[in-house]
Amino acid sequence: MRVFLKSWYDRQSLALKLSVSILVCVFTVFAALVVFLFDATEHIVGSKTEEIGQKSVETYVNDMTHLAVDTQQLVLNTKNMLNQLSESDVSSLQLVLNSAIKTIYHSALTFTDAWVYIFPPEDVSHGTLYRSENIDGKISFKSENITNLYDLFPWFKQVPKEEKIYWSEPYLDKLTSKTVVTCLVPFMFQGKTDFDGLVALTVDLTNMTRSINNFSFAETGKLLLISREGLYVAHPDPNIALKMSIFELSKKMELPQLAEAGYQVLSGKTGTTNIPYSSVFDTSVIFFYAPVFPLNWGLFLVYSEDALLKPIRHMQYLMILPLLVGMLILFFIIYKMCHHSTKQLLTLSHIASMYGQGDFSLNFDEVISSDEIGVLAKTMTNMRQNLLNYVEKEKKEASEKQRIESEMNIAASIQNAAMHKTFPNHPSFKVFASMKPARQVGGDFYDLFFLGEDKVSLVVADVSGKGIPAALFMMRGQALIKNVAKSGLGISEVFHVVNKELLKGNETCMFISAFLAVIDIKTGVMQYVNAGHTPLLVDNKEGYQYVKTQRNIVLGVQKDAVFKAESMRLKEGAKIFLYTDGVTEAENNNHQFYGQDRLLDVLKKPYDTPQETLKAVTDDIQNFADGNEQSDDITMMEFVYLTSSFDEIKVQSDMNNLSKVLNFIEDNMQKYHVANETVFKMVTAAEEIYANIASYAYEKKEEMEIVVKTHFDGTYYHIKFIDFGKEYNPLTRTDPDISAPLEERSIGGLGIFLVKKFASDVTYTRQNNQNVLKISIKV
């Protein structure tokens, strides 16, 4: 609905929008004023009602208190007269009771009778009851022997045996069948030292309850009366009056507020409380309450808040209708005024719409006004000319931008072509690299090329600056490093020559930070030089770690700069990670750098291929940046050194080929300038191994083949003997006891014993149904 109204409003004319806006403002002010007046009226009426209600309750309470006090005084007067009599003076007792009846005949209360009860002090339950009654103006006097007073008056058990006024709870008089309440006091006949009599007046509650039930406050308010024990003496509901207490009703109706009001009034407090509903009204009600002190009773005035405010709210509804009619008339007047004022704006809007469609043929000459609209028309006339000039300028700039973008695309294509997208599938290493430019073309570059068959060169570099200048300088630097490195110069001299060449004609003072590594894949020896580039990361089978390198100056800055090279030996499975500062200096939205520590944490996780490694780092950088724009080129390369290259020879398993194998081993070891003594040991060991394989490995002639692989890692010379015969591990054979006499020695085992003695290490494995025996000897 909200979306529909907004859509409808947006489609309307300015005149209608202005009219609606003004009307809404005026209506809001009037509505706020009306609400304020309504609230103030309700508050005033509520306050006055509360004041009148309290006064009504107090008036009833005062009247009831006055009647109760008069009754008590009459009982006390009667008691004082009885104190002067003896219990045997019945005639005087009759005279006193008849006098009391005559005294109260014209009282506002209705008394059913006056009586005296005479009892022995030791047992109150039986005695003689003397009663005077006024029936239709005639006074009668009766006496009755009582065997159990509690049967006649059950409430009498609660009467304290002391000289003080006592009011009973309302009860049904068995003699008159009326609901009454009794006021009594104990007394002593003349000459007695203990109470032996009671004098009482019994009050008929019929007139009182009728008066309370007939009471009406503000047409709906009702009075409720409760006794000392909380019993409803008067209540509009006959099922509650004299049958239920306020506390029982509170529990039944689940209204704890009602019980709380009962406790308050019976403790002698006056007050007001709000209750969500009651036994009188189903709606929210207000209770006024006050205590009737002589009786210790409580009087309530309860009225419906909704019924009380109904006339006021009816008046409010009558006020709203004229307000709405007035708003409609006001809207019509405002709309006419706004429509007249916005007519010129419609003309301006039409012409501006044509301008928006690219049609500048119309001008604002027909808009004649000296107010703000006229100023707007003049401004739009100037804008028309400015737009025409701007459009012409944009056409020229768009053409120039298209030409530059085309040249940038060509430059990016040339740059991409200069860097590898496919990498060698070599048995001795795996490598992968990537470059993500911050702009269309970048200043970073990487390269990989061979120097002969056994040496591979790795280059990662970063050119200062961005854009086309950096890309041109990058291509120059890449070509120089590659060409000079292939000339056969040492690795330090390569950077020395490249530095001199980059200084020529470098008026822009651009420079290159670069890292060059040359790896001998046969020996695992890596020579490298760092020209102001990021630190080297190497995992030489111990996890990736930063390697502290000689930090030479960048290329293209200092004439005759000296570049110091370093070297290390890579173990099988070693990894090298090269990168530019675009990796570690990538920023997030809080201007924090990605950093070397986070890069190292990512590289510590295992990855199967260099492609997976670079993807993991790239994804982590993107997560860290969290959408922040890339500010520098990001270039990475990982090189995994799998194993040194092996020289090998394959021959048929025949003793006739022994000399061929031994000559191969001897020539191969001499190629690496291995000492003659070491060559002798290795050739002797090889002869023993070959002879064992040729003699015992194969059962069938067509299966006979022995593969011999050699490898020198710079420290150890290794030979692997591989055959496809039955499984046999010669290392499990017990070494012969060479200290025993010759005739006592067992046959065999001496050859493998000599091999163990000559070699630094001998190992056997069974792989792919092949026996592989590897001999290693330290050079």
Side-chain angles (χ1 to χ4, degrees), residues 84-126:
Q84 308 301 319
L85 302 176
S86 66
E87 60 180 313
S88 60
D89 190 357
V90 177
S91 58
S92 297
L93 189 147
Q94 179 180 357
L95 183 62
V96 171
L97 288 180
N98 289 344
S99 175
I101 288 293
K102 291 177 181 179
T103 302
I104 64 177
Y105 180 74
H106 300 290
S107 172
L109 289 174
T110 302
F111 293 92
T112 60
D113 56 20
W115 51 270
V116 172
Y117 176 62
I118 301 173
F119 55 88
E122 65 276 4
D123 186 5
V124 182
S125 65
H126 68 276

Side-chain angles (χ1 to χ4, degrees), residues 411-451:
S413 300
I414 295 173
Q415 186 182 48
N416 289 333
M419 282 184 278
H420 294 273
K421 293 296 180 292
T422 58
F423 297 90
N425 184 13
H426 200 279
S428 295
F429 64 84
K430 292 189 290 187
V431 66
F432 191 77
S434 67
M435 195 276 281
K436 182 182 178 183
R439 299 183 183 176
Q440 200 163 358
V441 292
D444 287 3
F445 67 89
Y446 62 84
D447 206 349
L448 180 144
F449 51 88
F450 283 90
L451 300 176

